[in-house]
Amino acid sequence: MSEISWDLFHEQVSACTMCPLHATVTNKVPGQGDIHSPLMLIGEGPGQREDEEGIAFVGAAGQLLTKMLSAIYLPRDRVYICNVVKCRPPNNRVPTEEEMQACMLHLRMQVALVRPKVIVLLGSTALKATLGPNHYITHERGRWYERKGVWMMPTYHPSALLRDPEKKRDAWADMQSLRDRLMDLSLYPDIYQQTSSPDI
Ligand code: URA
């Protein structure tokens, strides 16, 4: 197998015809952000704005995601953001199992390239695609899983928070748990600098 690289990843996504979604897109949306980030966020798939711009999470859900990150002092450009599927499903429907499986090749390559220490799974599609079909967001949000040395936490998708603001309380608890995990792992030391307790 040829050695993986970001060039190869982007070439493979732009040439991909492995599922029908490629035929109806304006732009593919591979993902973007800090390719050396210890934190990766995975959503479901591009919406209309993302399809128009070729950038993940730039619509209303993306704006809320930016706010959620800044609530734990993380600038958006310090994380890597992508989706399970790189092509917009028509009418923003949930991607089919076949579409998700076809696109997993790209997601696996992305994870191998970024090598994040922590992954946040935004919503049911990202949870099921990554941890398996028998996982349920309502039961498992906020729970931590360790897989091959990578910590993963499912939380609500920001679109779900826009539809049902009552979920925001749980989402905030999940963001605090994320911040605590990043601190425990000594990630982002410039942001989460531990101040030593003052001498008494
Ligand atoms: N919803 C997603 O899951 N991903 C995006 O990029 C935008 C909205």
Side-chain angles (χ1 to χ4, degrees):
M1 191 181 112
S2 50
E3 208 167 298
I4 61 167
S5 68
W6 282 108
D7 283 348
L8 183 64
F9 166 75
H10 284 286
E11 271 164 35
Q12 288 193 352
V13 170
S14 69
C16 184
T17 55
M18 284 193 299
C19 85
L21 293 181
H22 76 278
T24 49
V25 298
T26 311
N27 289 293
K28 293 186 177 179
V29 182
Q32 78 287 327
D34 178 1
I35 58 170
H36 304 294
S37 174
L39 172 61
M40 185 164 182
L41 305 170
I42 305 176
E44 177 176 295
Q48 184 180 351
R49 281 281 307 282
E50 292 76 19
D51 176 72
E52 284 163 7
E53 298 189 27
I55 302 171
F57 280 101
V58 284
Q63 285 162 26
L64 179 55
L65 182 61
T66 304
K67 271 198 206 162
M68 289 160 69
L69 290 170
S70 62
I72 56 164
Y73 308 108
L74 281 180
R76 196 183 144 114
D77 62 4
R78 296 286 304 275
V79 307
Y80 189 85
I81 304 178
C82 64
N83 286 302
V84 172
V85 294
K86 315 306 188 207
C87 293
R88 182 191 182 200
N91 303 316
N92 298 344
R93 65 164 170 73
V94 176
T96 64
E97 183 61 32
E98 290 73 25
E99 290 159 356
M100 283 197 269
Q101 285 311 320
C103 225
M104 281 309 280
L105 177 78
H106 304 310
L107 184 61
R108 285 200 192 96
M109 193 187 283
Q110 242 165 338
V111 173
L113 286 164
V114 177
R115 299 205 291 139
K117 303 273 191 300
V118 177
I119 297 179
V120 173
L121 304 167
L122 297 167
S124 171
T125 298
L127 170 62
K128 287 177 186 288
T130 309
L131 292 178
N134 297 327
H135 289 262
Y136 295 92
I137 194 74
T138 40
H139 294 131
E140 295 170 51
R141 56 138 282 275
R143 227 184 253 181
W144 284 97
Y145 297 82
E146 201 202 341
R147 296 284 187 276
K148 298 183 192 161
V150 179
W151 287 98
M152 301 190 182
M153 181 190 65
T155 188
Y156 289 126
H157 191 288
S159 300
L161 305 180
L162 291 172
R163 281 193 303 270
D164 178 6
E166 292 204 351
K167 291 193 164 79
K168 283 188 179 175
R169 180 190 293 263
D170 285 341
W172 173 233
D174 296 348
M175 292 310 284
Q176 288 175 301
S177 175
L178 170 62
R179 180 204 54 203
D180 292 348
R181 177 70 59 184
L182 297 172
M183 286 172 90
D184 283 353
L185 296 173
S186 305
L187 302 173
Y188 298 101
D190 60 321
I191 294 175
Y192 301 122
Q193 220 156 38
Q194 304 272 7
T195 47
S196 49
S197 27
D199 292 336
I200 303 174

